[in-house]
Amino acid sequence: MNWTALVQHLLISLVPWLGGVVVGGGLGYACALVGRRLFSARPGLRRLSMLLPWRTIVVNLLLLYPVFPIILRLIGVPVRSGVPAQAAIVCLWVLPLAFAFTAVVLFEYWYSSPLVVRLIAGARTLATASVAVTADTQRAAGRGSIGVSLYPTGYPQVISTLLTVVLLTLMVDVLIGALQLPFSRSSVTARPAQTVIS
């Protein structure tokens, strides 16, 4: 067994995972606290927040991995630096997931939803991911779909196609979100603040 390669793989995966969880989770926690204060002041906004297309944002951010080298240059990480560049890319992947996961878990803890709403939310996440990922897999397979032109040589076409995929995922996200609304409670009460951290 190549122990050097194993240790290097762990460094590339676990260290940026920790960084992504700390930064993304911290931002998600802060965002959840702001949302909680807003929902306490105006309880009706909690139900309307189900329409927020955060899934579209997260999924499409994850599909932007071909432009991660550009992001690395912007944050000062040399693309050809080997382990640091690979670790930074993993961190960029983990960060939006950690952000969304933390915020969703906290909101679900503070404002418990009926089972049917949770099931629809899970289906909504899978549907949104499916629409976006299909474009990428079709591009990779060279099939005759919108995904084939996702990463052509001309940048205007790249932007145009990416915007189309974003609009498709946004449409699915919001439509299924609208399906959640009738099943959600008309009024929600947050748990007491002292039970947030046990």
Side-chain angles (χ1 to χ4, degrees), residues 75-149:
I75 62 177
V77 178
V79 177
R80 301 185 182 278
S81 61
V83 172
Q86 294 173 34
I89 288 174
V90 173
C91 187
L92 287 172
W93 244 77
V94 171
L95 198 147
L97 290 173
F99 175 89
F101 175 79
T102 304
V104 168
V105 167
L106 285 171
F107 281 132
E108 193 55 46
Y109 178 77
W110 293 329
Y111 306 94
S112 184
S113 300
L115 178 61
V116 65
V117 173
R118 297 186 197 185
L119 291 173
I120 294 173
R124 181 180 175 187
T125 300
L126 294 174
T128 305
S130 181
V131 172
V133 172
T134 298
D136 192 53
T137 56
Q138 292 293 312
R139 174 196 61 83
R143 303 280 185 229
S145 77
I146 192 171
V148 176
S149 59

Side-chain angles (χ1 to χ4, degrees), residues 14-28 91 94-95 97-99 102:
L14 295 182
V15 172
W17 161 76
L18 184 59
V21 165
V22 169
V23 177
L27 290 173
C91 187
V94 171
L95 198 147
L97 290 173
F99 175 89
T102 304

Side-chain angles (χ1 to χ4, degrees), residues 55-73:
R55 293 165 179 85
T56 297
I57 297 168
V58 171
V59 167
N60 284 285
L61 279 176
L62 296 180
L63 288 183
L64 286 178
Y65 64 87
V67 300
F68 278 1
I70 298 172
I71 299 174
L72 292 185
R73 290 191 191 97

